[in-house]
């Protein structure tokens, strides 16, 4: 082996070692913070529940998973579908989907507005959009409660104006939860959509106008397909936390309008059924994964995406 | 001129862009131009002179600050771009990246609500016209610059606009492709019979392709005329300088009869030069002489000729340029074809005399 080769080999070896060292933070995060806890949850979901919470370690049973979908009558042991769970599941999916659609509906024009401001002024608008982030989500949610409750600003003003004679019940309805979630998650839609609108070549928009496309057609045929990556990213960023939302349904929905997050919390708290809680958590993850796969595949098919 | 309406008639059009604060840019300054039907009309001028701005006003992307724009006699200044029978070939092509070549070409027709089979037929016809049939299902990101250029052309021609606007469509192409596309463009204009308004800052391109040229500078149109007009009878110093290589000599204006004037050049001889309609007031004038209208010969004896010292010889393949320093110090270039057997045996540093072809000199307006 020549000297040069030996040096090269040494460098290669050091290089490989160095690369592993540099990957350490990433590997740490992936295994300790993501895969690990997931594995623990999976394990818990198959164990026997403890009498006062926790689980009986290394005693396995399918009870946790069974009770996600079915319930056993306490008296006669008959098995029936756990419709309370399914109802909550369905509500979670529905509210999360509606939140995504509504944030897109309000967020897209907002992002478009910001992206079409003169270059130096966009930062200010973006900054304004992110202001609510500075406040704790609980406080923001209580602020909404103050606004929409029966004695709140909204109802008081309407009644003073004589538009309604008795307050509209908004609190503790799905509408309240939806309103709260749209408000809280709106910036998560605006920011990624803005990012792709900002990259949009507005000469393409002019080309659209030039080729006889009126405004709506330009939006539909040119702007939307070209900003799809941002729309997909925004939808994902909104849908995932929305379907697992905890604070908003708790404060605005009350006990009757639970979502999955609240149900899971219940199992780890008062319910003392950790295996069920763990199984529900994993169910939630599966729903999210399936929904995302479905959504991303459809989104990229319909617009026929564009290559790079 | 009176009865037949022009395809495009811009009357006293100005465009002022207001920046932040007080500064404003007058991109167009009372521009008036009438463009005839079926004409290949070129806007020629240096960067920033307002060419794109004028096109954008005609296309409807911007509105004039002052003045009106007529399309076949109708004021269109306030019509949105999607209601104007005018299409644009953009400088960067602006093809839709999420559509195929064929979808790009069919887009305008689709937006006009044409039936499907008519669109298909016209797209096929356009693909043939620009010779892009095999690539019709390609993404626009998967074709070369020249091909993109042709798709952009086909896309703009497909809806059969009354006027086609082309904003430096060839500037991104290499020399050879550019030459090919110049011919192609002329052919397309001829075959479709559509009025072309073509923007370029390349004077050679303008001269070879246009029926008429408008030379612009700083938001104003300085001269409108046929390529020959502009080249041989430039009205102003800027035009003479911008179009082709030229020699400018100072002299004293003598007797003027009709469109010919006697000018005594400071460099020596007296010659006859054509004059513009409005003559300069002072006796001091500038005369332009194109390099190919002069002939060079060795020796400085002959009377009545420009004399000087040969400083450089540049060989150009088809012709040769002789750079001469005249006796009064001003530079002068002579261009002579190489084919002519009379290759003058000249050496750098030698004394030469220059003869100017009759009536080829021109007095400038300013
Ligand atoms: N939107 C705008 N805001 C402010 N000034 C502008 C705007 N558009 C153009 N201008 C200015 O107007 C003048 C003319 O611009 P224009 O784009 O028409 O030039 P051009 O002749 O097309 O140049 P080029 O050959 O470089 O394309 C320039 O000084 C330019 O800076
Ligand atoms: Mg331009």
């Amino acid at each position: 082996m020549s000297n040069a080769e030996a040096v090269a080999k040494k460098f290669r070896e050091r290089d490989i070692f160095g690369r592993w060292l540099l990957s350490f933070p990433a590997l740490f995060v992936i295994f300790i913070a993501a895969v690990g806890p997931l594995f623990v949850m999976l394990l818990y979901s198959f164990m026997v529940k403890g009498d006062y919470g926790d689980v009986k370690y290394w005693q396995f049973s399918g009870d946790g998973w069974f009770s996600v979908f079915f319930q056993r009558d306490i008296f006669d042991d008959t098995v029936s579908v756990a419709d309370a769970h399914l109802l909550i599941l369905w509500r979670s999916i529905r509210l999360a989907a509606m939140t995504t659609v509504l944030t897109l509906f309000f967020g897209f024009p907002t992002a478009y507005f910001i992206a079409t401001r003169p270059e130096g002024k966009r930062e200010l608008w973006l900054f304004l959009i992110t202001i609510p982030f500075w406040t704790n989500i609980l406080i923001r949610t209580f602020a909404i409660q103050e606004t929409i409750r029966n004695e709140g600003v909204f109802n008081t003003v309407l009644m003073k104006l004589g538009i309604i004679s008795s307050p509209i019940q908004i609190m503790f309805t799905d509408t309240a939860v939806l309103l709260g979630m749209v408000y809280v998650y709106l910036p998560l839609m605006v920011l990624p959509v803005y990012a792709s609108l900002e990259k949009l070549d507005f000469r393409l928009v002019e080309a659209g106008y030039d080729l006889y496309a009126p405004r709506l057609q330009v939006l539909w045929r040119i702007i939307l397909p070209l900003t799809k990556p941002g729309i997909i990213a925004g939808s994902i960023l909104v849908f995932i936390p929305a379907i697992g939302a905890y604070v908003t349904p708790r404060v605005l929905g009350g006990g009757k309008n639970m979502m999955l997050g609240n149900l899971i919390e219940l199992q780890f708290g008062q319910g003392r059924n950790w295996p069920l809680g763990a199984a529900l958590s994993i169910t939630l993850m599966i729903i999210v994964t399936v929904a995302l796969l479905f959504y991303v595949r459809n989104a990229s098919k319909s617009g026929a995406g564009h290559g790079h | 001129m009176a009865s037949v309406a022009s395809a495009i008639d811009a009357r006293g059009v100005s465009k002022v862009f207001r920046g932040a604060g007080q500064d404003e840019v007058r991109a167009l300054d009372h521009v008036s131009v009438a463009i005839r039907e079926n004409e290949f009309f070129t806007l020629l001028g240096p960067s920033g002179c307002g060419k794109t701005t004028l096109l954008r006003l005609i296309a409807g992307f911007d509105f004039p600050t002052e003045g009106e724009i007529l399309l076949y006699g109708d004021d269109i200044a306030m019509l949105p771009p999607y209601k104007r029978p005018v299409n644009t070939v953009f400088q960067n092509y602006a093809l839709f990246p999420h559509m195929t070549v064929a979808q790009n070409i069919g887009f305008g027709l689709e937006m006009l609500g044409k039936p499907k089979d008519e669109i298909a037929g016209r797209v096929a016809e356009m693909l043939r016209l620009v010779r892009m049939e095999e690539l019709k299902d390609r993404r626009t990101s998967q074709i070369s610059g020249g091909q993109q250029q042709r798709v952009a052309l086909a896309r703009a021609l497909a809806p059969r606009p009354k006027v086609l606007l082309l904003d430096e469509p060839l500037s991104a192409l290499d020399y050879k492709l550019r030459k090919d596309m110049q011919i192609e463009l002329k052919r397309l204009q001829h075959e479709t019979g559509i009025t072309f308004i073509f923007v370029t800052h390349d004077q050679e391109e303008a001269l070879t392709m246009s029926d008429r040229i408008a030379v612009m500078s700083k938001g104003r149109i300085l001269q409108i005329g046929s390529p020959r007009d502009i080249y041989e009878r430039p009205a102003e110093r800027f035009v003479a300088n911008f179009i082709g290589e030229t020699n400018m000599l100072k002299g004293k204006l003598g007797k003027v009869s009709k469109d010919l004037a006697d000018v005594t050049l400071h460099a020596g001889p007296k010659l006859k030069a054509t004059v513009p309609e409005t003559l300069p007031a002072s006796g001091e004038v500038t005369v332009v002489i194109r390099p190919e209208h002069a002939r060079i010969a060795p020796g400085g004896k002959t009377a009545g000729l420009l004399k000087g010292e040969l400083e450089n010889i540049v060989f150009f393949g088809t012709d040769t340029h002789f750079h001469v320093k005249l006796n009064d110090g001003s530079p002068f270039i002579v261009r002579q074809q190489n084919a002519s057997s009379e290759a003058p045996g000249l050496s750098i540093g030698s004394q030469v005399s220059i003869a100017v072809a009759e009536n080829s000199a021109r007095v400038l307006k300013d």
Side-chain angles (χ1 to χ4, degrees):
Chain A
M1 199 192 290
S2 78
N3 202 19
E5 269 175 79
V7 170
K9 186 162 179 274
K10 206 162 171 189
F11 264 98
R12 259 199 313 277
E13 277 162 6
R14 195 181 299 166
D15 200 37
I16 288 169
F17 177 71
R19 236 181 288 164
W20 275 104
L21 201 69
L22 287 176
S23 319
F24 179 73
L27 295 177
F28 180 83
V29 168
I30 290 169
F31 284 102
I32 304 301
V35 180
L38 180 65
F39 184 71
V40 171
M41 287 301 260
L42 195 65
L43 216 56
Y44 271 36
S45 74
F46 283 106
M47 288 198 206
V48 176
K49 74 170 176 146
D51 298 326
Y52 308 99
D54 210 337
V55 290
K56 294 184 171 146
Y57 287 95
W58 315 120
Q59 298 179 29
F60 294 98
S61 110
D63 276 359
W65 280 99
F66 178 81
S67 27
V68 171
F69 304 103
F70 304 103
Q71 60 199 7
R72 219 182 285 274
D73 197 290
I74 330 173
F75 302 111
D76 55 11
D77 250 16
T78 50
V79 172
S80 59
V81 174
D83 36 12
H85 289 182
L86 295 186
L87 200 69
I88 290 173
L89 212 76
W90 169 235
R91 176 184 295 120
S92 301
I93 295 174
R94 189 167 48 93
L95 286 181
M98 286 169 78
T99 303
T100 311
V101 171
L102 286 175
T103 47
L104 181 60
F105 184 80
F106 291 109
F108 192 92
T110 312
Y112 191 90
F113 172 83
I114 300 174
T116 49
R117 289 315 93 192
E119 205 130 338
K121 299 200 173 120
R122 295 179 201 160
E123 284 78 13
L124 178 67
W125 289 104
L126 281 178
F127 169 74
L128 293 178
I129 284 287
T130 52
I131 281 184
F133 272 149
W134 301 3
T135 315
N136 183 288
I137 181 173
L138 201 58
I139 296 172
R140 276 183 281 161
T141 312
F142 277 120
I144 293 181
Q145 183 188 11
E146 273 313 298
T147 315
I148 61 175
R149 70 197 174 95
N150 287 5
E151 302 78 26
V153 183
F154 180 70
N155 276 314
T156 313
V157 169
L158 284 190
M159 274 165 59
K160 282 258 163 65
L161 290 175
I163 296 171
I164 50 172
S165 56
S166 58
I168 305 169
Q169 176 67 40
I170 308 173
M171 276 300 289
F172 311 125
T173 62
D174 280 357
T175 314
V177 178
L178 196 60
L179 187 73
M181 292 208 295
V182 169
Y183 173 66
V184 167
Y185 297 129
L186 194 61
L188 295 181
M189 181 62 88
V190 173
L191 295 179
V193 170
Y194 165 79
S196 55
L197 272 172
E198 193 224 31
K199 273 182 276 165
L200 177 72
D201 183 354
F202 276 89
R203 286 172 294 198
L204 295 177
V205 173
E206 288 192 341
Y209 285 136
D210 189 59
L211 292 162
Y212 312 105
R215 285 168 209 289
L216 218 60
Q217 287 288 346
V218 167
L219 176 69
W220 196 246
R221 297 290 307 275
I222 294 161
I223 300 175
L224 283 183
L226 290 175
T227 48
K228 201 181 287 154
I231 294 173
I232 291 179
S235 302
I236 291 172
L237 284 180
V238 170
F239 184 81
I240 293 178
I243 198 172
Y246 172 73
V247 172
T248 312
R250 177 72 187 268
V251 175
L252 300 176
K256 284 225 181 80
N257 295 280
M258 265 201 253
M259 286 176 65
L260 265 174
N262 311 101
L263 185 62
I264 292 169
E265 189 265 350
L266 196 63
Q267 305 314 320
F268 284 99
Q270 292 165 14
R272 291 180 186 161
N273 194 345
W274 286 25
L276 174 56
L280 282 168
S281 304
I282 290 174
T283 310
L284 175 60
M285 283 194 51
I286 293 172
I287 293 173
V288 169
T289 312
V290 169
L292 287 186
L293 283 179
F294 187 75
Y295 178 70
V296 171
R297 169 135 357 130
N298 266 321
S300 53
K301 196 164 50 190
S302 62
H306 52 101
H308 293 279
Chain B
M1 273 264 165
S3 63
V4 183
S6 306
I8 290 287
D9 194 355
R11 296 181 180 169
V13 172
S14 294
K15 178 70 187 176
V16 179
F17 290 110
R18 292 210 163 73
Q22 293 294 306
D23 56 324
E24 49 175 53
V25 183
R26 191 166 272 271
L28 290 177
D29 191 7
H30 296 95
V31 165
S32 294
V33 56
I35 296 160
R36 298 171 198 141
E37 187 164 33
N38 294 349
E39 189 168 33
F40 197 117
F41 191 90
T42 298
L43 299 172
L44 173 66
S47 186
C49 70
K51 307 179 296 285
T52 299
T53 305
L54 184 53
L55 277 203
R56 289 174 60 81
L57 294 184
I58 297 173
F61 301 134
D62 256 324
F63 299 109
T65 314
E66 254 180 280
E68 53 184 0
I69 297 173
L70 310 183
L71 178 89
Y72 288 96
D74 299 324
D75 191 349
I76 55 165
M78 288 301 146
L79 223 55
Y82 51 86
K83 291 198 177 143
R84 299 186 184 198
V86 170
N87 286 147
T88 307
V89 177
F90 293 86
Q91 182 159 5
N92 61 336
Y93 314 142
L95 297 177
F96 303 128
H98 56 302
M99 298 181 196
T100 63
V101 166
Q103 284 168 339
N104 263 282
I105 298 175
F107 187 83
L109 297 163
E110 207 183 313
M111 289 300 120
L112 286 172
K114 297 276 189 254
K116 275 219 157 53
D117 44 345
E118 187 186 329
I119 296 178
R122 188 86 66 79
V123 168
E125 181 191 327
M126 285 300 139
L127 284 166
R128 205 161 43 246
L129 195 67
V130 297
R131 307 198 177 106
M132 288 284 293
E133 288 116 311
E134 307 95 83
L135 300 179
K136 68 179 164 53
D137 294 322
R138 285 271 189 93
R139 286 282 147 129
T140 53
S141 52
Q142 296 164 338
I143 56 177
S144 73
Q147 290 163 343
Q148 286 180 20
Q149 208 278 327
R150 283 186 286 177
V151 175
L153 252 174
R155 183 179 72 173
L157 283 171
R160 298 217 175 107
K162 293 223 168 75
V163 175
L164 187 73
L165 309 175
L166 304 102
D167 193 354
E168 305 199 28
L170 308 182
S171 62
L173 306 181
D174 62 50
Y175 183 79
K176 176 79 174 59
L177 195 54
R178 196 143 134 196
K179 292 281 155 211
D180 292 346
M181 285 308 301
Q182 287 177 0
I183 296 167
E184 192 100 326
L185 267 182
K186 278 300 272 185
R187 173 179 73 86
L188 283 174
Q189 199 251 339
H190 191 74
E191 282 177 25
T192 56
I194 291 172
T195 309
F196 276 34
I197 304 179
F198 182 87
V199 161
T200 183
H201 58 243
D202 179 339
Q203 44 96 10
E204 190 188 322
E205 195 165 277
L207 290 176
T208 50
M209 298 178 71
S210 321
D211 294 325
R212 283 196 307 156
I213 299 172
V215 182
M216 293 181 71
S217 168
K218 295 184 186 146
R220 293 186 310 121
I221 292 185
L222 300 182
Q223 190 174 359
I224 302 176
S226 69
R228 178 146 241 135
D229 252 2
I230 300 259
Y231 186 79
E232 291 184 349
R233 287 175 288 281
E236 297 187 28
R237 176 183 300 267
F238 179 87
V239 178
N241 250 330
F242 195 72
I243 313 254
E245 235 170 339
T246 193
N247 298 301
M248 297 209 187
L249 298 177
K250 293 243 179 268
K252 250 197 162 43
L253 193 62
K255 193 160 58 68
V256 182
S257 56
K258 270 208 264 170
D259 53 353
L260 277 182
D262 288 331
V263 181
T264 313
L265 298 177
H266 294 341
K270 188 163 150 185
L271 47 71
K272 282 199 183 302
T274 60
V275 292
E277 280 153 36
T278 51
L279 264 177
S282 76
E284 243 345 79
V285 292
T286 304
V287 163
V288 292
I289 299 164
R290 294 292 181 189
E292 65 274 21
H293 290 156
R295 281 219 148 259
I296 194 164
K301 300 273 175 314
T302 337
L305 295 182
L306 287 161
K307 293 177 194 69
E309 183 188 321
L310 184 58
E311 288 197 313
N312 203 359
I313 303 175
V314 185
F315 180 70
F316 270 95
T318 53
D319 47 39
T320 303
H321 292 191
F322 299 91
H323 294 252
V324 179
K325 187 171 164 197
L326 296 182
N327 286 342
D328 69 336
S330 50
F332 197 97
I333 299 174
V334 177
R335 180 155 83 213
Q336 233 153 270
Q337 281 206 351
N338 290 330
S340 54
S341 51
E342 27 157 348
L346 295 167
S347 56
I348 292 175
S350 66
Q351 287 295 310
V352 291
S353 52
I354 297 166
V356 176
E358 206 159 305
N359 295 348
S360 64
R362 170 120 181 134
V363 177
L364 288 181
K365 205 155 68 178
D366 56 304

